[in-house]
Amino acid sequence: MFIFLVYVPALVFLGLGIFGLRDVWILRRRGVRTEGRCGGTSWNANIPSVDVIYRDEARKRHYVTMAAEDLGLVGGESIVQVVYDPLKPGRATTEKVLKKPLWRTQEGYMALLGLCLAVVVTAMIAVAARFSL
């Protein structure tokens, strides 16, 4: 039971990262590109965020909240390229995020952190087992 508990943080980060990477993969595979307009701004965990408003193929309005750095805007621009899933139009991100290598996305960082935590915990357990013999 103890071994499972020490792996829980690693499994949480790994699971959240893989779940997020699945969305990125889906958007890369079947995403539809459209223009979005920057709306309101807010601060989430000391990261400036911007609401991007876009319309799907049926002209229904949606929005996604993105970190300001993921918009790829220069100067006073307010138009950003959005990629959304036509089967689930609320699933969306910007073109800039999809052009990043997977390991450089926020989701990729989480998955890598989970893997690193698992390796560290495994090494610590192996060392402890070695010295307890």
Side-chain angles (χ1 to χ4, degrees):
M1 181 66 167
F2 171 75
I3 290 177
F4 174 75
L5 291 177
V6 295
Y7 277 108
V8 167
L11 292 173
V12 168
F13 281 109
L14 186 61
L16 289 173
I18 290 173
F19 185 74
L21 286 173
R22 179 190 66 106
D23 287 348
V24 171
W25 181 76
I26 288 170
L27 289 171
R28 283 184 176 178
R29 198 179 92 226
R30 68 172 180 232
V32 174
R33 276 127 181 95
T34 189
E35 285 188 346
R37 210 170 268 289
C38 294
T41 59
S42 61
W43 287 82
N44 294 329
N46 289 330
I47 299 171
S49 299
V50 178
D51 290 337
V52 177
I53 302 155
Y54 62 96
R55 294 189 183 270
D56 63 16
E57 293 168 330
R59 305 297 300 155
K60 187 174 178 188
R61 188 175 168 188
H62 302 275
Y63 78 93
V64 61
T65 302
M66 300 293 302
E69 65 189 35
D70 289 336
L71 296 178
L73 297 176
V74 179
E77 291 180 327
S78 64
I79 303 294
V80 65
Q81 294 301 313
V82 175
V83 180
Y84 71 92
D85 181 358
L87 300 178
K88 187 178 177 185
R91 176 186 294 148
T93 192
T94 62
E95 185 77 35
K96 182 179 178 185
V97 171
L98 292 183
K99 287 182 179 179
K100 289 181 183 180
L102 287 178
W103 61 272
R104 301 248 0 234
T105 63
Q106 183 179 7
E107 295 83 3
Y109 286 138
M110 289 182 72
L112 286 174
L113 178 62
L115 284 173
C116 289
L117 283 172
V119 167
V120 168
V121 169
T122 302
M124 290 172 58
I125 290 171
V127 168
R130 173 96 165 118
F131 287 113
S132 68
L133 291 178

